[in-house]
Amino acid sequence: GALERPAAAVAALLSWGAVEPGVPRPPYFWSDQYGVKIQFAGHAAGADTVTVVEGVTDDRSFLAVYRRAGHPVAVLGMNQPRLFTRWRKQLSVATP
């Protein structure tokens, strides 16, 4: 998010407003807490299902996908950075 905003602002400024801002990626955050890498992307509000697609929650190593009408709208990962990154990229192109 923050890394993409300057480029969008400069493009809009230099085009005198003729360029529409691009569609932003879903919001994203990460944190390292007590030896656990926590990553979240998307909009979980309004999701009608949450499914653990990899790992076990009790082990603090899992990936959960939030869906609305069958489409992924958010993803939560704990100690699953590679799989999380793949799902996050899918959120960028998915249109619920």
Side-chain angles (χ1 to χ4, degrees):
L3 293 176
E4 296 164 355
R5 291 190 200 330
V10 169
L13 179 66
L14 294 177
S15 69
W16 296 89
V19 172
E20 291 290 322
V23 176
R25 290 185 186 183
Y28 165 71
F29 80 86
W30 66 269
S31 183
D32 291 316
Q33 298 291 321
Y34 303 101
V36 177
K37 178 178 272 313
I38 302 166
Q39 297 171 285
F40 185 87
H43 298 279
D48 46 39
T49 63
V50 180
T51 307
V52 174
V53 297
E54 183 69 35
V56 179
T57 57
D58 290 344
D59 292 344
R60 299 186 313 169
S61 179
F62 69 92
L63 187 106
V65 177
Y66 296 71
R67 291 184 173 86
R68 183 179 316 129
H71 298 280
V73 294
V75 62
L76 168 66
M78 292 182 77
N79 289 331
Q80 293 285 336
R82 288 186 180 161
L83 187 56
F84 175 86
T85 300
R86 280 187 252 147
W87 275 94
R88 180 180 178 213
K89 288 177 183 177
Q90 289 180 31
L91 292 179
S92 300
V93 296
T95 54

